Amino acid sequence: MKPGWRVIDTGCLTCSQNIALDKALLLAGRERLIPDTLRFFQFTAGCVLLGHYQRAEQEVRLDFCQQQSIDINRRLTGGNTVYWDGSLLGWEVVLPRAGQAAANQADTLRYQIAAAIIEGLSQLGVKAQYQYPAAIEAAGRQIAWFSGTRQGPAFFCQGYIRVSDSDVHTLLRALRIPTEKLVNKEVDLFKQSLASLASVLGAPPPPAVIKAAITAGFCRIFQVAACEGKMTPGEEAYYQTSCQEVAARHWVFGSRSVSRPAGYQLRSTLKEQSLITVAMSVDSSRQRIDAISITGSFEAYPLEVISRLESNLLHIAATPEQIRNTVNDCFRECHACIPTLTADDFSNTILKALEKLQFLNWGAGPEELNELTVVGNCAIQNIFEQPLTTLLIPYCAKDTECRYRYREGCGQCGRCDVGDAYALAAEYGLAPITIQNYEMLEENLKALKQAGCKVFIGTCCEAFWVKHARDFAEIGLPGILVNVDNSTCYELGREQAARQGRFENQTKLKKQLIRQIVNGMFNNRDASYG
């Protein structure tokens, strides 16, 4: 039997107090001042916890949280944003001597952690399975979740058990989840994806019984004994310092953005199982990276690998070889493990941002580069070499009183931007198609691909693109998306309209940018055949 674990139950604390205690435990663990520790915790009120590498304005409805007095803070662990209310029982483990010898050691520990939670749930009468990387499910419904990181030799993992039904209505409104999910049907579907001890067992066991079962699960899987313990003076000192740090606005909303007046401002997003967003500034004369920020919903071992990667990328030549070498070296030196993602995923996202510089050749201005997104697994240069046949237009750009608002066609009356888009399509021999909702978009893209279409150009809001990034990739038809000027159909209060394609406001098309790209594609093709 290995040395015993210490078990601490800190009860209900405020949002910032719990985060400060997380930090204190990890710092003490990094210095090997404490034994292996299991902590149980809860929050005094519902709160929003950002993943460590996420940006609050991208993940949270800040106005709603402010109106409802919902605290927001940032975890030490990565992964998705969590709305944490009284339905969840929190737990975390700190293993000060886990070590850092190999990148895959973090995954080995993750599987052990999952096995321990599953064992604890089984003692409560719940049969559960691990869904890599972060979910534990009962009968296909999420009942538990966890996320982790590492600092020095210390491994830190935290998660929750859903004891009773969560407040799904508040959850969906506090987090920046597409508003189409807020209609009754979607809320019911979301509820059905969640399980709790109450829903599985008929009634939740007493908290002490749940904690004892989870403790027993860890003891069995890690082959240790456990006994109750208290905070050490060293931890208390770290805690007092950490309370001030995590309560500061900079900790929660701190600048992970890039704002440089000179050079090219570039942004790219990769959405696989985890989201990566790269924002960077490139010196236009020296072609070097001036500034870079990497954010997303991923976990990272060790904790500091992303900040170190950002530092290593600064001022290097903005070339594929230099970028790939720098990313690979950083991952190797840090023994980095980022579940579901590889070093190549980060390199490719950076290179996708850099690739946008090619739009300068086709008429886009430097300030317009981030208004353009390439979909499909195709380089920008290859897209511009393909024949363009189709222009996709969102219905929400049509005049709200137009008889064509909710159907195909345009009278070109001049009351909205769509008439100009139809005129552009006629000028270049393109087929204009009005897109009413995502289902219609998917149907049209698949039909175009089957008919031999090689590339399309369309326009939509960034929120729509991010939500459906994986869908665009799976359909596989390359294309260029131009942002619209407004994206209010994805704001809170527009949920029914967003779902049904009945958004009542009118968006504006970036007509000049669309024309520049279409003209650039045709000029490039004519030159190629010239």
Side-chain angles (χ1 to χ4, degrees), residues 1 51 71 171 214 222 225 238 252 260 280 337 342 376 454:
M1 185 75 69
D71 283 343
L171 181 158
I214 297 302
F222 284 85
Y238 278 130
V252 183
R260 291 290 186 90
M280 60 195 298
C337 174
T342 66
K454 300 299 183 183

Tab-separated table of all heavy atoms in Angstrom, residues 1 51 71 171 214 222 225 238 252 260 280 337 342 376 454:
chain	number	residue	atom	x	y	z
A	1	MET	N	0.853	-1.194	0.000
A	1	MET	CA	0.000	0.000	0.000
A	1	MET	C	0.888	1.242	0.000
A	1	MET	O	1.828	1.356	0.767
A	1	MET	CB	-0.908	-0.006	1.227
A	1	MET	CG	-1.921	1.123	1.264
A	1	MET	SD	-3.325	0.913	0.137
A	1	MET	CE	-4.193	-0.456	0.909
A	51	GLY	N	-12.491	28.051	-18.615
A	51	GLY	CA	-11.283	27.269	-18.786
A	51	GLY	C	-10.088	28.202	-18.790
A	51	GLY	O	-10.191	29.367	-19.192
A	71	ASP	N	-21.161	35.325	-10.364
A	71	ASP	CA	-19.714	35.543	-10.373
A	71	ASP	C	-19.061	34.799	-11.526
A	71	ASP	O	-19.497	33.703	-11.913
A	71	ASP	CB	-19.092	35.063	-9.059
A	71	ASP	CG	-19.331	36.038	-7.915
A	71	ASP	OD1	-19.681	37.191	-8.195
A	71	ASP	OD2	-19.180	35.631	-6.750
A	171	LEU	N	-27.984	28.084	-17.066
A	171	LEU	CA	-26.738	27.643	-17.706
A	171	LEU	C	-26.684	28.114	-19.158
A	171	LEU	O	-25.682	28.695	-19.604
A	171	LEU	CB	-26.638	26.122	-17.621
A	171	LEU	CG	-25.420	25.405	-18.201
A	171	LEU	CD1	-25.262	24.026	-17.543
A	171	LEU	CD2	-25.487	25.200	-19.699
A	214	ILE	N	-16.710	8.267	-3.314
A	214	ILE	CA	-15.676	8.783	-4.220
A	214	ILE	C	-14.297	8.584	-3.605
A	214	ILE	O	-13.338	8.190	-4.304
A	214	ILE	CB	-15.930	10.274	-4.525
A	214	ILE	CG1	-17.277	10.453	-5.248
A	214	ILE	CG2	-14.799	10.848	-5.365
A	214	ILE	CD1	-17.412	9.680	-6.544
A	222	PHE	N	-5.953	3.870	-6.888
A	222	PHE	CA	-4.572	4.305	-6.653
A	222	PHE	C	-3.872	3.473	-5.575
A	222	PHE	O	-2.704	3.709	-5.288
A	222	PHE	CB	-4.542	5.791	-6.266
A	222	PHE	CG	-4.744	6.717	-7.439
A	222	PHE	CD1	-6.021	7.044	-7.868
A	222	PHE	CD2	-3.659	7.228	-8.135
A	222	PHE	CE1	-6.216	7.888	-8.953
A	222	PHE	CE2	-3.846	8.073	-9.218
A	222	PHE	CZ	-5.118	8.405	-9.637
A	225	ALA	N	-4.431	4.348	1.187
A	225	ALA	CA	-5.369	4.618	2.272
A	225	ALA	C	-5.607	6.124	2.321
A	225	ALA	O	-4.852	6.905	1.739
A	225	ALA	CB	-4.800	4.120	3.592
A	238	TYR	N	-0.059	30.522	1.069
A	238	TYR	CA	-0.313	30.581	-0.369
A	238	TYR	C	-1.754	31.030	-0.635
A	238	TYR	O	-2.028	31.786	-1.580
A	238	TYR	CB	-0.083	29.214	-1.008
A	238	TYR	CG	1.365	28.895	-1.311
A	238	TYR	CD1	1.927	27.679	-0.889
A	238	TYR	CD2	2.156	29.766	-2.037
A	238	TYR	CE1	3.248	27.362	-1.188
A	238	TYR	CE2	3.481	29.465	-2.331
A	238	TYR	CZ	4.022	28.263	-1.904
A	238	TYR	OH	5.326	27.955	-2.193
A	252	VAL	N	-9.349	37.339	-14.292
A	252	VAL	CA	-10.536	36.821	-14.980
A	252	VAL	C	-10.603	37.288	-16.423
A	252	VAL	O	-10.830	36.506	-17.341
A	252	VAL	CB	-11.818	37.241	-14.233
A	252	VAL	CG1	-13.059	36.648	-14.914
A	252	VAL	CG2	-11.757	36.812	-12.772
A	260	ARG	N	-2.011	45.655	-31.706
A	260	ARG	CA	-0.846	46.409	-32.151
A	260	ARG	C	-1.262	47.307	-33.307
A	260	ARG	O	-1.941	46.852	-34.233
A	260	ARG	CB	0.259	45.452	-32.629
A	260	ARG	CG	0.905	44.638	-31.515
A	260	ARG	CD	1.750	45.520	-30.608
A	260	ARG	NE	2.474	44.753	-29.628
A	260	ARG	CZ	3.702	44.263	-29.810
A	260	ARG	NH1	4.310	44.465	-30.957
A	260	ARG	NH2	4.303	43.588	-28.854
A	280	MET	N	-2.842	37.176	-33.965
A	280	MET	CA	-1.440	37.553	-34.073
A	280	MET	C	-1.266	38.829	-34.882
A	280	MET	O	-2.136	39.231	-35.657
A	280	MET	CB	-0.636	36.409	-34.707
A	280	MET	CG	-1.108	36.024	-36.095
A	280	MET	SD	-0.451	34.428	-36.648
A	280	MET	CE	1.297	34.748	-36.665
A	337	CYS	N	1.422	17.781	-23.062
A	337	CYS	CA	0.299	16.930	-23.441
A	337	CYS	C	-0.943	17.803	-23.490
A	337	CYS	O	-1.283	18.467	-22.499
A	337	CYS	CB	0.113	15.801	-22.425
A	337	CYS	SG	-1.379	14.798	-22.716
A	342	THR	N	-2.609	18.113	-31.144
A	342	THR	CA	-1.185	17.854	-31.322
A	342	THR	C	-0.454	19.166	-31.605
A	342	THR	O	-1.073	20.211	-31.838
A	342	THR	CB	-0.950	16.906	-32.510
A	342	THR	OG1	-1.350	17.571	-33.730
A	342	THR	CG2	-1.753	15.613	-32.361
A	376	GLY	N	-13.125	24.356	-45.537
A	376	GLY	CA	-12.695	23.232	-46.359
A	376	GLY	C	-11.190	23.086	-46.327
A	376	GLY	O	-10.460	24.052	-46.090
A	454	LYS	N	-16.567	23.343	-57.367
A	454	LYS	CA	-15.238	23.254	-56.751
A	454	LYS	C	-15.041	24.233	-55.602
A	454	LYS	O	-14.216	24.011	-54.720
A	454	LYS	CB	-14.157	23.507	-57.812
A	454	LYS	CG	-14.175	22.520	-58.969
A	454	LYS	CD	-13.931	21.093	-58.490
A	454	LYS	CE	-13.878	20.130	-59.673
A	454	LYS	NZ	-13.720	18.719	-59.216
